[in-house]
Amino acid sequence: MSENSTDAPRDPSGGPREETLTRSRGGGDILLSCQNLTKEFSVAGSKITAVDDVSLEFPETSVLAVVGESGSGKSTLARMLLRLMPATSGTITYRGQDVTHLHGRGLREYWTEVQAVFQDPFASYNQFFTVGSLLRRGHSLAKVPADEADALIAECLGYVDMTPKETLHKFPHQLSGGQRQRVMVARALMMRPKVLLADEATSMLDATLRVNVLNVLHDLKNELGMTILFITHDIGQACYLADRVAVMEQGRVVERGTTEEVIFSPQADYTKRLLSDVPDLRGSLKS
Ligand SMILES: Nc1ncnc2c1ncn2[C@@H]1O[C@H](COP(=O)(O)OP(=O)(O)O)[C@@H](O)[C@H]1O
Ligand SMILES: [Mg+2]
C-alpha cells in the first residue's frame, strides 16, 4: 500500500512502516467509498446483521444523504466509515487507498480528513468549559501553532455564521441548540477535513434552527468544496440538502439515486412509504 508515498518517514528500526495516507492522488472524483461493507453483532446468542453488504460512493464536493428509519444501520455504517468500529467484512477506500485496516499514523491522518458531528453535540463535553476552551482544545488536536489558533477559530466560526466575540466566552447552555451544533461544525472544520459526516446532527433542532444548520452544510460544500455524508431518519431533510440519496432498510441499501430520482420516481416500496410521510417535498429541493 502507498508504494508511491514519498512523504512517509522510514521506520529507523527497520520494522514495518506505518501506512500513511497518500495525498494528492489524482484520477477520479470519488473521495470515499465502501465496498460490500457488513457488520454483524452477536446479541444474546443470536446474530444481527446491522449493515448488510453496503457499497456506496462519495464523490468529492457533494452531499450524499443516507436515510432510513431508526435501527436501519445508519450509525453503524457511520462508525465503520469513521474507523471507530471494525467491519465484519468489506472494504473502505479513501482517495483510492484501502483504509479498512489503517492504523497508527495513517489512521490519525484519516481522522483529520474525515470529521464527524453527532446528534447531541455537548453530551461528551464538560459543561463548565467555555466554547472558547472547547475550540482551543480542538485546536491543539489539529497541531496548529498557538499563535494561529485564534485566527483559525475566527475563520471556522465564520463558516458557520458566528463570531468569536458572541461565542467564545459563553458556556454551552447559553447557546441555542442550533448555535451549539454550529460550534461543533466549526470545531470539526478546524481540522480542515475533506469529509464531514453528520449523523442525525440536525435531528434535535426545531424547524427554523434546523434549516439554518442545513444551509450552513450546503454552503460548506460550495465554498470549501467539502464532501458531506448526511445521515438522517428524515427523508425531507435528506432531500432538502443532498445531491444524492441512499435509502437503508434493515441494513441494506434498497434505493439510491439523485435526489430528483428518489423524489420523483422512487423504486422501492420502503422509499415510497418514507416519502408519503412528507407532504410537499417537490417544492423544497435545494438548487
Ligand atoms: N454495539 C451494538 N451491539 C449490538 N447491536 C447493535 C450495536 N449497535 C447497533 N446495534 C444494532 O444494529 C442495528 C442498527 O443500529 P444503528 O446502526 O444504530 O441504526 P440507526 O442509526 O439507523 O438507528 C439495530 O438493530 C441495533 O440494535
Ligand atoms: Mg443512528
Side-chain angles (χ1 to χ4, degrees):
M1 177 164 306
S2 302
E3 298 292 339
N4 56 354
S5 172
T6 53
D7 57 350
R10 298 208 170 272
D11 184 336
S13 69
R17 204 176 61 175
E18 282 187 351
E19 293 166 7
T20 57
L21 289 172
T22 308
R23 289 173 191 270
S24 66
R25 182 188 288 263
D29 291 327
I30 303 300
L31 192 59
L32 178 67
S33 64
C34 61
Q35 300 82 32
N36 311 108
L37 208 58
T38 295
K39 182 70 186 184
E40 292 171 352
F41 293 112
S42 288
V43 179
S46 59
K47 200 176 71 179
I48 292 177
T49 307
V51 174
D52 192 357
D53 199 28
V54 167
S55 300
L56 289 173
E57 293 185 332
F58 306 93
E60 202 154 9
T61 312
S62 68
V63 182
L64 177 83
V66 174
V67 63
E69 288 173 315
S70 177
S72 57
K74 307 181 299 294
S75 292
T76 305
L77 174 67
R79 284 187 206 110
M80 287 193 286
L81 290 172
L82 286 165
R83 286 294 321 278
L84 298 175
M85 176 185 270
T88 305
S89 59
T91 51
I92 301 163
T93 306
Y94 181 70
R95 292 179 183 271
Q97 181 182 347
D98 184 342
V99 298
T100 320
H101 304 289
L102 204 64
H103 62 279
R105 192 162 84 99
L107 184 56
R108 289 193 295 278
E109 282 181 33
Y110 182 68
W111 282 335
T112 66
E113 303 217 359
V114 183
Q115 286 279 303
V117 183
F118 295 100
Q119 179 169 9
D120 192 6
F122 281 89
S124 54
Y125 292 101
N126 188 327
Q127 296 292 308
F128 298 104
F129 282 127
T130 61
V131 170
S133 66
L134 178 73
L135 291 178
R136 288 192 184 97
R137 289 155 70 89
H139 136 258
S140 70
L141 288 172
K143 293 195 171 65
V144 173
D147 58 352
E148 290 177 23
D150 287 345
L152 179 65
I153 287 172
E155 178 192 336
C156 292
L157 284 173
Y159 293 133
V160 297
D161 298 330
M162 298 177 90
T163 63
K165 202 174 164 203
E166 67 178 359
T167 317
L168 295 184
H169 63 284
K170 290 194 172 151
F171 292 97
H173 69 268
Q174 295 174 308
L175 301 178
S176 72
Q179 287 174 321
R180 283 204 290 270
Q181 203 52 283
R182 285 189 284 146
V183 165
M184 295 317 282
V185 172
R187 185 174 189 269
L189 293 177
M190 289 174 65
M191 307 292 269
R192 302 210 182 277
K194 297 277 185 291
V195 180
L196 189 65
L197 187 156
D199 186 356
E200 302 282 9
T202 49
S203 295
M204 281 169 50
L205 305 177
D206 68 37
T208 314
L209 298 175
R210 174 183 299 158
V211 168
N212 192 262
V213 174
L214 291 175
N215 288 340
V216 162
L217 294 175
H218 179 261
D219 291 346
L220 290 177
K221 179 191 78 168
N222 290 340
E223 289 166 20
L224 297 183
M226 293 197 61
T227 299
I228 296 178
L229 170 52
F230 184 74
I231 292 178
T232 178
H233 65 278
D234 179 350
I235 199 165
Q237 288 186 59
C239 291
Y240 178 77
L241 181 65
D243 303 302
R244 301 185 65 82
V245 175
V247 181
M248 276 183 85
E249 180 187 19
Q250 295 183 358
R252 300 187 73 94
V253 173
V254 295
E255 175 117 29
R256 71 183 75 214
T258 64
T259 305
E260 285 82 356
E261 286 165 351
V262 170
I263 292 179
F264 294 111
S265 55
Q267 302 298 308
D269 288 342
Y270 181 73
T271 312
K272 291 175 191 165
R273 186 158 65 73
L274 292 180
L275 285 166
S276 69
D277 293 338
V278 188
D280 192 19
L281 259 186
R282 292 165 191 233
S284 76
L285 272 183
K286 218 159 172 37
S287 52

